[in-house]
Amino acid sequence: MKKKIFSGVQPTGNLHLGNYLGAIKNFVALQEGNDCVYCVVDLHAITIKQDPKLLKSNTLETIATFLASGLDAKKNIIFNQSSVSAHSEFAWILNCVSRIGWMNRMTQFKEKAGNNKENASVGLYVYPTLMAADILLYDSTHVPVGDDQKQHLELTRDIAQKFNNDFNCDGFITVPEPLIQKEFSRIMSLKDGTKKMSKSDPSSQSIISLNDDKENIVSKIKKAKTDSLPLPSTKVELKDRPEAGNLLGIYSNLSENKIEKTLTEFKGKNFSYLKDQLSALIIEKICPIGEEIKKLLNDKNYLISVLNKGTERADLISSIKLKKIHEKMGFLS
Ligand code: TYM
């Protein structure tokens, strides 16, 4: 059966291998035979202070990354969140459905707000209700994300169920399923295999950016953290070897092979052999995307036309759903 897919990516610049392997590569696979909506979530980005000029260029770069990775602008609805007002309107309604206790359990808020919670934006706190609004407005059945978004998706399901209960409308809001890869769904930092690869990491050496050139890729992989043992032959041995697990996981994911096959290929070999093979594979798969992003960024008008078309289509679907939501709420609009 056709799935209704929704996912979003923040335009915070420097999209990396984690975003690609955890999310965007799956968006591309899902576009065949499903109805897909892919959103650049600029309203989520401003939960942390943004430079308006940079936000604009990062939004275009994110669209360029979607297209360069293989998303078809005709097949999919591609747009930016702030241009479709139903998202913020429904998010407010969901703020009133959600419970404070639920928000207090969100680990991403705790991580992002750090020690100074009093100084975090209110938007950062209610970030997950906006994410729920994004997904639920389109009756989405499936949401492809990396493992770090799992808790937000569980919350989205709780919010959907509570809305249906509160307004006595079973099935009106579709309860979506997360689509998270079973293995290596969290790509880790090249400098610390226990930390997520993240745009906000202060060390650029810890991430492979989709814009990195060949020399950069070779140098970052060469300097990636390792341990002192030869590469293992079983999955069990990877449990206590996060860096080996991460590099082998990236290799498996990019080569589309099961981890067992990758382990057989590299067992007993040293890290420098794996690093040579991995650099070559990243260059083969990622550099063409980086080059295409650069090309697309030279044609801003085209990128804007993709956004405008996507906005029109997203606006149509979401405004119809929002009208029905208003009826359920008892709004005279
Ligand atoms: P964001 O912008 O942080 O990340 C975009 C996507 O990339 C995935 N990802 C990773 N996957 C594996 N390993 C990593 N190291 C890694 N880093 C990032 C994320 O899981 C995500 O799928 N809240 C979302 C954006 C969002 C959204 C939505 C997603 C807003 N509304 C509705 C799905 C549906 C976020 O901040 O993603």
Side-chain angles (χ1 to χ4, degrees):
M1 222 179 74
K2 243 188 187 182
K3 298 184 178 90
K4 286 188 175 185
I5 305 289
F6 186 99
S7 199
V9 174
Q10 292 193 60
T12 36
N14 226 0
L15 292 188
H16 53 68
L17 201 56
N19 299 123
Y20 180 70
L21 295 180
I24 299 170
K25 183 168 165 246
N26 301 328
F27 300 175
V28 177
L30 286 162
Q31 71 182 337
E32 300 306 331
N34 298 303
D35 291 330
C36 303
V37 182
Y38 296 122
C39 183
V40 181
V41 292
D42 45 10
L43 294 170
H44 276 110
I46 61 159
T47 55
I48 288 171
K49 198 168 186 320
Q50 300 291 327
D51 170 343
K53 264 203 198 121
L54 259 182
L55 184 62
K56 210 178 256 177
S57 60
N58 286 338
T59 300
L60 290 175
E61 189 172 323
T62 308
I63 297 293
T65 305
F66 282 179
L67 300 176
S69 303
L71 282 184
D72 182 332
K74 289 207 181 80
K75 254 190 209 151
N76 308 287
I77 298 181
I78 296 175
F79 71 108
N80 63 317
Q81 194 183 28
S82 63
S83 67
V84 177
S85 62
H87 289 246
S88 351
E89 293 175 46
F90 190 34
W92 175 256
I93 293 172
L94 295 183
N95 278 339
C96 301
V97 172
S98 310
R99 304 295 90 184
I100 287 181
W102 296 358
M103 294 297 138
N104 286 342
R105 285 196 284 277
M106 293 298 112
T107 51
Q108 186 171 295
F109 174 75
K110 290 178 196 158
E111 280 163 24
K112 287 201 173 165
N115 293 331
N116 198 356
K117 290 196 182 45
E118 294 292 308
N119 199 34
S121 74
V122 177
L124 188 64
Y125 187 64
V126 293
Y127 178 115
T129 51
L130 176 59
M131 182 161 161
D134 297 340
I135 297 166
L136 303 179
L137 266 179
Y138 297 87
D139 296 323
S140 315
T141 58
H142 293 83
V143 185
V145 281
D147 178 71
D148 60 322
Q149 296 298 316
K150 194 171 172 188
Q151 195 186 32
H152 286 158
L153 283 187
E154 281 159 6
L155 179 75
T156 299
R157 289 170 57 85
D158 289 343
I159 294 174
Q161 271 151 354
K162 186 163 186 301
F163 187 102
N164 288 338
N165 279 337
D166 286 359
F167 299 99
N168 208 7
C169 53
D170 196 26
F172 171 68
I173 299 282
T174 303
V175 182
E177 298 288 335
L179 283 180
I180 299 174
Q181 276 165 187
K182 287 196 181 67
E183 280 185 328
F184 303 104
S185 51
R186 193 179 283 238
I187 305 299
M188 309 310 270
S189 153
L190 297 179
K191 288 289 169 196
D192 177 352
T194 63
K195 259 176 59 189
K196 187 179 81 164
M197 185 178 282
S198 166
K199 299 174 223 185
S200 52
D201 197 310
S203 162
S204 65
Q205 296 299 309
S206 71
I207 69 171
I208 298 282
S209 157
L210 298 181
N211 289 321
D212 278 343
D213 61 21
K214 289 179 190 168
E215 288 71 33
N216 253 327
I217 292 170
V218 171
S219 143
K220 285 181 182 180
I221 294 294
K222 213 172 237 163
K223 289 187 202 141
K225 191 174 169 197
T226 58
D227 57 46
S228 54
L229 298 171
L231 291 161
S233 57
T234 63
K235 259 161 79 169
V236 181
E237 292 167 88
L238 287 179
K239 283 221 165 79
D240 303 321
R241 300 183 61 188
E243 284 79 23
N246 191 37
L247 296 179
L248 290 165
I250 294 173
Y251 189 90
S252 274
N253 196 327
L254 277 174
S255 60
E256 313 268 354
N257 282 323
K258 287 221 154 31
I259 185 67
E260 287 78 3
K261 183 158 186 265
T262 304
L263 281 163
T264 309
E265 193 177 336
F266 290 102
K267 71 176 175 202
K269 302 246 165 51
N270 56 27
F271 272 97
S272 68
Y273 178 75
L274 168 62
K275 285 180 166 184
D276 286 347
Q277 304 298 311
L278 182 59
S279 298
L281 186 60
I282 297 176
I283 288 168
E284 180 195 325
K285 301 280 183 183
I286 299 301
C287 286
I289 297 178
E291 275 152 30
E292 187 61 21
I293 294 173
K294 268 188 222 124
K295 255 195 238 157
L296 286 163
L297 283 173
N298 284 330
D299 192 354
K300 299 227 163 45
N301 287 340
Y302 170 65
L303 296 174
I304 289 169
S305 77
V306 167
L307 277 181
N308 289 345
K309 186 86 201 108
T311 296
E312 214 174 281
R313 294 165 72 193
D315 203 33
L316 190 66
I317 300 172
S318 59
S319 60
I320 293 172
K321 185 73 182 180
L322 190 64
K323 194 155 184 355
K324 292 184 186 156
I325 292 165
H326 279 199
E327 279 160 22
K328 298 279 179 225
M329 310 288 306
F331 293 158
L332 285 172
S333 55

